[in-house]
């Protein structure tokens, strides 16, 4: 096993800390999940992100069970599909059984059910946290106004909002909006929304003897965003993780931020 351990850097939550570097498992088949997740854990990832809709929780559970790592050293996220609204507790219990866990570190509403904030669903998440089945709770793909609705109705704000994110769709208004609400920004599909051949990324990568994928991971970490790169290839799993250790300068971070200017000007994507 590698001597690397990416439990840090991390962001503080109500109960514990969430590593900024996570391992995404979307589209990883259940049959491949044990080996691929084991590669990630051996590479030093301590944060594993899955979802009921990914249909790979059982395979990930096999990797967790066979790992020599202590449960407390691993941060596991899963998510409730919107079509399971009304069956929250049953869905979470099924996820826990497949993962072989007594609790998850983070449970997210995967998408707003029927496009709505769904405070009644959120109330069940709050209950699950109170009952110890989830140490932290949050949402995914929610707008700021939907987050506000959850907070106003229940008095409890999500701890995380997991959204599609990367340099090309960076939006300071989204960042500040979540920060003001005390919600951690977690980004998924960081490479899919990025041009890995962009000259600015290539130049910065060259300065650090790194890949552009590593620079994108480093950019997330420099901002304090959680990032969950995904790969099924052992060498890329290791390589992507190494980006979390690249110390970008303030000027480099600013230059990468600037990649979103054109994208923002022509986009209707809004989170407020």
């Amino acid at each position: 096993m590698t001597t690397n351990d990416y439990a840090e850097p991390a962001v503080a939550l109500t109960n514990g800390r969430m590593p900024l570097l996570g391992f995404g498992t979307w589209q990883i088949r259940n049959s491949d999940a044990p080996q691929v997740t084991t590669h990630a854990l051996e590479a030093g990832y301590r944060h594993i992100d899955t979802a009921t809709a990914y249909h790979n929780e059982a395979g990930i559970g096999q990797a967790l069970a066979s790992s020599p790592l202590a449960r407390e050293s691993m941060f596991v996220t899963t998510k409730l599909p919107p079509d399971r609204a009304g069956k929250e507790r049953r869905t979470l219990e099924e996820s826990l059984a497949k993962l072989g866990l007594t609790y998850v570190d983070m449970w997210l509403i995967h998408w707003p059910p029927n496009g709505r904030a769904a405070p009644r669903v959120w109330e069940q998440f709050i209950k699950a946290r109170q009952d110890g089945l989830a140490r932290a709770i949050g949402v995914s793909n929610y707008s700021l106004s939907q987050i506000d609705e959850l907070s106003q109705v229940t008095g409890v704000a999500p701890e995380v909002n997991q959204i599609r994110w990367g340099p090309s769709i960076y939006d300071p208004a989204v960042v500040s909006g979540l920060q003001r609400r005390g919600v951690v920004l977690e980004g998924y599909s960081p490479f899919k929304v990025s041009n890995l051949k962009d000259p600015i990324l290539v130049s910065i990568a060259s300065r650090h003897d790194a890949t552009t994928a590593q620079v994108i991971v480093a950019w997330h970490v420099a901002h304090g965003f959680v990032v969950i790169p995904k790969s099924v290839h052992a060498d890329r799993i290791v390589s992507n993780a190494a980006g979390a250790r690249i110390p970008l300068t303030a000027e480099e971070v600013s230059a990468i931020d600037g990649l979103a200017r054109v994208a923002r000007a022509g986009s209707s994507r809004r989170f407020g």
Side-chain angles (χ1 to χ4, degrees):
M1 180 175 286
T2 180
T3 56
N4 285 325
D5 186 321
Y6 295 99
E8 294 288 339
V11 61
L13 300 174
T14 302
N15 295 309
R17 295 174 64 78
M18 183 180 193
L20 293 186
L21 176 71
F23 182 67
T25 65
W26 180 52
Q27 294 184 323
I28 294 179
R29 293 178 297 184
N30 193 59
S31 58
D32 295 331
Q35 182 178 38
V36 173
T37 306
T38 295
H39 282 322
L41 293 172
E42 290 178 345
Y45 291 80
R46 296 296 176 262
H47 172 182
I48 306 297
D49 180 274
T50 185
T52 296
Y54 298 170
H55 303 293
N56 58 18
E57 290 171 314
I60 289 170
Q62 291 179 37
L64 299 178
S66 63
S67 173
L69 295 167
R71 170 66 184 96
E72 294 74 19
S73 70
M74 296 183 286
F75 189 102
V76 180
T77 295
T78 193
K79 311 179 192 77
L80 174 85
D83 61 4
R84 297 288 289 183
K87 301 176 182 177
E88 297 86 2
R89 179 61 67 101
R90 175 182 169 186
T91 302
L92 179 55
E93 289 175 346
E94 290 172 352
S95 290
L96 291 172
K98 291 175 182 177
L99 290 165
L101 303 176
T102 57
Y103 67 91
V104 288
D105 299 275
M106 177 66 69
W107 192 30
L108 305 177
I109 303 177
H110 206 156
W111 288 87
N114 295 314
R116 299 180 180 276
R120 290 186 180 180
V121 173
W122 187 238
E123 287 170 351
Q124 293 304 309
F125 271 60
I126 296 168
K127 182 70 163 53
R129 186 174 67 178
Q130 292 171 341
D131 293 344
L133 299 183
R135 297 198 71 199
I137 51 177
V139 296
S140 183
N141 302 298
Y142 268 58
S143 68
L144 295 178
S145 60
Q146 289 172 329
I147 288 172
D148 287 342
E149 183 178 345
L150 296 184
S151 302
Q152 291 162 5
V153 174
T154 68
V156 176
E159 296 186 63
V160 165
N161 188 21
Q162 185 184 110
I163 57 177
R164 199 164 183 255
W165 195 250
S168 67
I169 54 176
Y170 171 72
D171 188 339
V174 174
V175 176
S176 62
L178 291 174
Q179 287 177 339
R180 288 195 306 271
R181 292 161 174 81
V183 180
V184 174
L185 191 160
E186 179 175 12
Y188 67 82
S189 297
F191 306 143
K192 285 193 174 185
V193 301
S194 303
N195 176 10
L196 296 178
K197 296 181 180 180
D198 184 277
I200 290 176
L201 292 177
V202 170
S203 176
I204 293 172
S206 178
R207 283 180 231 154
H208 292 275
D209 191 23
T211 67
T212 51
Q214 288 173 329
V215 168
I216 288 171
V217 171
W219 173 81
H220 281 77
V221 171
H223 270 294
F225 305 144
V226 179
V227 60
I228 48 174
K230 169 252 177 177
S231 178
V232 296
H233 303 289
D235 56 342
R236 290 183 187 172
I237 290 171
V238 172
S239 176
N240 291 340
R245 296 280 190 259
I246 295 175
L248 298 179
T249 66
E251 291 76 15
E252 289 170 335
V253 172
S254 180
I256 298 170
D257 291 350
L259 296 178
R261 290 173 184 164
V262 173
R264 282 205 308 275
S267 174
S268 61
R269 175 182 177 275
R270 303 300 300 168
F271 281 91

